[in-house]
Amino acid sequence: MNSESKNKSSILIVEDENIVALDIEQGLKRLGYLVSGIVNNGKDAIKEATATKPDLILMDIQIQGNMDGIETADQIQKLLNIPVIFLTAYADEATLQKAKVVGPYGYLLKPFEESELHTAIEVVLQKHKTFSAKETLSKEALALSEERFKLFVDFNKEYALYMMDKEGNVVSWNAGAERIEGFTSDEIIGKNFSIFYSEEERQSGRPEHDLAIAKSEGKFEEENWRYRKDGTKFWASTVITALKDKNGQLRGFGEVIRDLTSVKLNEENLQKAIIARDEFLSIASHELRTPISVLSLQLQMAQREPEFKIDGKHSSRLEKSLLIAMKQVKILENLINELLDISRIQAGRLEIHTVKTDLSKLVADVCHDFEDAFNSANIQLECDLQDRVEGNWDSFRLGQVVTNLLTNTLKYAPGKPVKIVLRSIKHMAILTVQDHGPGIPHELQSKIFQRFERASSPSISGLGLGLYIARKAIEAQGGAIEVESEVGKGSLFKVTLPLNRQEEELL
Amino acid sequence: MNQIGKCGTLLIVEDNEALLETYKDLLELEGYEVVTAKNGQEALKALEIIKHPCLILLDMFMPIMDGWEFLDHLKLRSEDLITSLPIVICSAAGASAEEASKQVRGYIRKPADIDLLLDTVKKFCRPSVAND
């Protein structure tokens, strides 16, 4: 009997009609179940269930006392986690819906057959067993995950992670917070987080302000200098998150801080290095320019010197020397000017002085200056320039642009014809320079307008600044420069400039 | 030196000695009379002797007294001195020098092209000795 009763499921019957209760008891016994008790009201049902812990409760919905079966089942579920089967004579929807909310495992409509009772009990017991097993598992998993999370937070040294109550009083403190802020958890828990702000910030209400932002926006984020317990400062990346429950009620705040001092210092050092480089560039090019201009003037003077002239002409050897020296001085001058321009562009000081300029004449003049160079590079230069293309431009800068484009054809496309076309279309001047050199691979085409970028092998001379300066000079005048190029076929550089910027902007 | 003060003398104000010497040689070669000053202070002193130079070629960045201070001193002496004196700024200082040049007769961007320099001088001065 004893061993038998161990395998039998025990069932509590809650039923206020005695005859029905006894009838059910008989049936259960016949089916091999153990009846742990029979009660007729909710209060006794809870007492009995607590005492005997039955495997299942058969619960009549209409019972004595001020709790009905549904309420009683609800209480028992909360306290004891025992499955319930409702027994009811009424199949009305409202009652069934109410019963479902409580979460019964099943219900039987009275009167029922013994076999129906049997099936219902077995199904519910099986369901309950599976459910309980799952619940145990997930509870264990949750506990494990919570433990892991706690370890992760507590022992994380990279991030200061701490929580505060609604008023900003610290309630938790991890190892990272101790490392970064310098306070141990004993020193800080219970203190207000305003302690992390400077006296000045506290006076101006910064701590309250930051919490208010976190509360209204969900989070508050900033990067700034913060002070450790010992008064030393560190560059902190801070996020304060408002912790709200599912009803939107504020429960407190979580704060995450990273010490980014070394990143910040690196950044600052980098900035300083860039500024120092640009200053150096500016000073160096200025310093280089003075002796070069003296050299240039002296050479030009020598070229005019009557003492060296024989029959009003220089001796051809001396003339050649002076010519070569002068050419080299020009090259030096241009290199120095490029460096100076770069330092000006970097400092945002590329000056544009616009005057009424005939681009046609300007291009023709530059082409004329290049005649000898093109001849010796065996380049046939074709100029197709529309007459009088006038606009308000910086003639010095445009001369520089055309010079840079022609210098590039000399460097990259010797021995092949070059064509320059100038047209005025609507309110724009369009200048194109077409060569038949090696062309520029597609992926390099946007790079060539950047600083220190060249599409070529290092065997070609130059600083890689020409097109960058050209682009900056053109953009500063409201224009644009672009390239179309195909490897093996050549390149076409196209400059577009508004004829009159003011008018252009007014239109 | 006995010609100092005579109308037709150029005053060159430039702190770089090599450049100053070059300007002087070049212009003297072209037949001009040239007086030099290494800074604004020296230029003010020179102006006490040559009251009416035919042209003042003025560098801006100089020690002791720079070009801007020099112009301010002139203005202090007399408001119209700055307009009555033919001054051309010759500088590499960029925008700040160009801005200053608006109150004077002209501006030459350094490094000066020899032809531009001679053309500018020709506009204001006449060589006292015929060249070539």
Side-chain angles (χ1 to χ4, degrees), chain A residues 22-67:
Chain A
L22 288 173
D23 191 30
I24 294 171
E25 185 189 18
Q26 290 303 315
L28 290 175
K29 280 184 176 164
R30 272 197 299 277
L31 291 168
Y33 297 109
L34 210 69
V35 176
S36 67
I38 298 173
V39 292
N40 61 7
N41 64 70
K43 220 171 137 189
D44 288 348
I46 293 168
K47 213 189 286 171
E48 189 67 22
T50 310
T52 60
K53 302 229 164 47
D55 295 315
L56 185 110
I57 299 169
L58 290 177
M59 177 83 70
D60 187 14
I61 290 179
Q62 304 286 327
I63 48 174
Q64 288 176 14
N66 41 19
M67 279 197 289

Side-chain angles (χ1 to χ4, degrees), chain A residues 14-15 20 24 58-62 69-70 85-92 95-96 99 106-112:
Chain A
V14 186
E15 171 62 69
V20 178
I24 294 171
L58 290 177
M59 177 83 70
D60 187 14
I61 290 179
Q62 304 286 327
I70 295 171
I85 296 174
F86 289 117
L87 309 174
T88 178
Y90 311 100
D92 64 298
T95 311
L96 292 180
Y107 58 87
L108 280 170
L109 284 177
K110 288 195 268 191
F112 44 79

Side-chain angles (χ1 to χ4, degrees), chain A residues 33 42 82 119 157 181 206 227 233 243 246 265 272 311 321 329 340 342 368 433 450:
Chain A
Y33 297 109
I82 295 170
T119 311
K157 288 203 164 188
E181 303 268 10
R206 274 300 300 275
Y227 295 88
K233 64 178 184 177
L243 306 174
K246 58 185 176 189
L265 292 181
K272 276 184 203 156
D311 300 329
S321 288
V329 166
L340 201 58
I342 284 297
H368 180 74
V433 177
Q450 302 295 322

Side-chain angles (χ1 to χ4, degrees), chain A residues 286 289-290 293-294 297-298 300-301 304-305 333 344 351 353 396, chain B residues 16 19 22-23 25-26 30 92 95 98 109-112 114 118:
Chain A
H286 267 292
R289 218 152 74 146
T290 312
S293 63
V294 172
L297 283 171
Q298 288 288 354
Q300 291 178 73
M301 273 164 65
R304 304 157 75 98
E305 184 61 69
E333 243 177 48
R344 283 185 180 137
E351 294 140 14
H353 304 286
F396 171 77
Chain B
N16 184 289
L19 197 54
T22 304
Y23 285 154
D25 287 351
L26 171 69
E30 295 291 317
E98 275 206 70
R109 199 199 286 247
K110 259 185 189 172
I114 197 164
L118 291 176

Side-chain angles (χ1 to χ4, degrees), chain A residues 190-202:
Chain A
K191 298 250 169 62
N192 194 274
F193 88 124
S194 61
I195 198 168
F196 308 128
Y197 290 76
S198 70
E199 183 56 41
E200 213 172 280
E201 287 170 325
R202 275 196 293 274

Side-chain angles (χ1 to χ4, degrees), chain A residues 390-438:
Chain A
E390 288 181 338
N392 281 321
W393 297 306
D394 185 321
S395 54
F396 171 77
R397 291 289 167 200
L398 288 190
Q400 200 180 19
V401 170
V402 180
T403 301
N404 283 342
L405 290 177
L406 291 185
T407 306
N408 281 348
T409 66
L410 278 177
K411 283 187 198 168
Y412 295 100
K416 309 267 175 58
V418 168
K419 187 174 181 182
I420 301 184
V421 180
L422 175 67
R423 292 282 181 275
S424 147
I425 297 167
K426 286 182 182 170
H427 301 284
M428 304 296 269
I430 296 166
L431 176 75
T432 56
V433 177
Q434 165 90 65
D435 68 41
H436 294 88

